[in-house]
Amino acid sequence: MIKIITENSDRSGNEIIEYLISNNANFERIDCDNFSEYTSIISNEIQPEKDVVWIRRGSRQLNPNELLNYPFSYYIWKESDIVNKFYEKINKGNKNYFGDFIEEDQHNKLYDLYLAKECGFKIPETLITNKKKDVISFKEKHGKIITKSIKDIIRFKTEEFIYMSQGTCIVENFHLDELHDYFVVSKFQQYIEKEVEIRTFYFDDSFFAMAIFSQNDEKTKIDFRNYNSEKQNRCIAFNLPKKIIQKLRKFLKHKKIDTCSIDLILTPENEFVFLEINPQGQFNWVSRNCNYHIEKFIAEKLIDYEKTSQK
């Protein structure tokens, strides 16, 4: 059987399942938004999962929904979190197991920058600090710098509003004027001029790359994620050079992951700069804009692996 662990709202997961249905594949969809039954026995005869599993988004919700608002829900969640990570640890390395809940949960973009440099990539010089004077020195060195979250964009809601942090933004002098001498530890990076931004989806040793012409729009010039829904960026299929693919394979081998989304910059000087990866990143728009039909590719891969596992 093929097991896909995803979210109710995951468009890519929905399309892949449509392909599985059209091919009469034997599959089970497990939504991380809903309660999921689970039993495992640890004994001298323990065996890894024999089914083909893809951790597309999130992890199993192992506690009944009515307990989500329980006063001690955080501690109950921590119990289930250990179970989900146990499940992945005993199956990771199994050729029928794809995706990374642990890597997504514990993803460290700072370490990724370090590792990418070790694998031969050029990276933006990055400052991690909580001291105003060091940010000032960093800006004096590079002239133009950006700041963005170390891990995730901040999101929280009240009864009236939903608040979100801005994402990537240029650090101006007036920002520095408003800083205290010491502040919450933050990330600052050298600004890299772009010819195009490149989003690449990776699955089972295959790369699907897309060039994003974000520099043609002031709103998306700093970061294509500052989307302009009225005038969307032009996006086309892109062939990664063999040397870049070799570096990516080396990086992903060190990370021990088999699927992710990768963000690169191609500079006006024709240099490739590594930015970050997202272990459970979205790929529907890459597939749609470039006619890659990634959903069909993944569905066929899962079916092939499922047939092999039955032999």
Side-chain angles (χ1 to χ4, degrees), residues 81 85 101-109 151:
D81 183 59
K85 289 173 179 175
F101 164 61
I102 296 175
E103 178 62 32
E104 176 70 20
D105 181 61
Q106 301 178 0
H107 185 208
N108 193 321
K109 295 181 181 181
K151 181 169 173 59

Side-chain angles (χ1 to χ4, degrees), residues 91-140:
N91 288 292
K92 198 64 183 171
N94 180 351
K95 64 181 180 180
N96 295 330
Y97 189 94
F98 300 93
D100 296 85
F101 164 61
I102 296 175
E103 178 62 32
E104 176 70 20
D105 181 61
Q106 301 178 0
H107 185 208
N108 193 321
K109 295 181 181 181
L110 303 181
Y111 175 71
D112 286 349
L113 286 169
Y114 169 82
L115 183 58
K117 177 63 177 176
E118 293 295 297
C119 292
F121 275 106
K122 181 177 179 180
I123 62 171
E125 186 165 284
T126 302
L127 171 71
I128 310 300
T129 188
N130 55 14
K131 296 188 294 184
K132 177 177 179 177
K133 70 179 185 65
D134 287 346
V135 181
I136 293 174
S137 297
F138 191 69
K139 191 175 189 308
E140 288 175 350

Side-chain angles (χ1 to χ4, degrees), residues 72-198:
F72 300 102
S73 60
Y74 172 76
Y75 299 98
I76 295 174
W77 172 81
K78 292 297 289 183
E79 297 289 290
S80 65
D81 183 59
I82 292 297
V83 175
N84 278 307
K85 289 173 179 175
F86 157 76
Y87 176 78
E88 179 156 297
K89 283 178 178 293
I90 64 173
N91 288 292
K92 198 64 183 171
N94 180 351
K95 64 181 180 180
N96 295 330
Y97 189 94
F98 300 93
D100 296 85
F101 164 61
I102 296 175
E103 178 62 32
E104 176 70 20
D105 181 61
Q106 301 178 0
H107 185 208
N108 193 321
K109 295 181 181 181
L110 303 181
Y111 175 71
D112 286 349
L113 286 169
Y114 169 82
L115 183 58
K117 177 63 177 176
E118 293 295 297
C119 292
F121 275 106
K122 181 177 179 180
I123 62 171
E125 186 165 284
T126 302
L127 171 71
I128 310 300
T129 188
N130 55 14
K131 296 188 294 184
K132 177 177 179 177
K133 70 179 185 65
D134 287 346
V135 181
I136 293 174
S137 297
F138 191 69
K139 191 175 189 308
E140 288 175 350
K141 176 181 179 181
H142 294 290
K144 195 172 184 179
I145 64 173
I146 62 169
T147 185
K148 56 183 176 180
S149 58
I150 293 175
K151 181 169 173 59
D152 296 316
I153 291 176
I154 297 173
R155 295 182 180 90
F156 69 94
K157 63 181 180 179
T158 65
E159 293 182 357
E160 298 181 0
F161 301 104
I162 296 176
Y163 296 90
M164 291 180 60
S165 56
Q166 183 175 344
T168 304
C169 64
I170 295 290
V171 178
E172 305 288 0
N173 288 330
F174 71 86
H175 293 135
L176 299 180
D177 293 339
E178 293 177 1
L179 273 181
H180 293 284
D181 290 338
Y182 299 97
F183 49 86
V184 173
V185 65
S186 303
K187 178 170 72 175
F188 303 89
Q189 288 185 314
Q190 161 194 15
Y191 179 77
I192 304 291
E193 295 291 342
K194 312 174 186 73
E195 184 68 25
V196 294
E197 297 183 64
I198 300 170

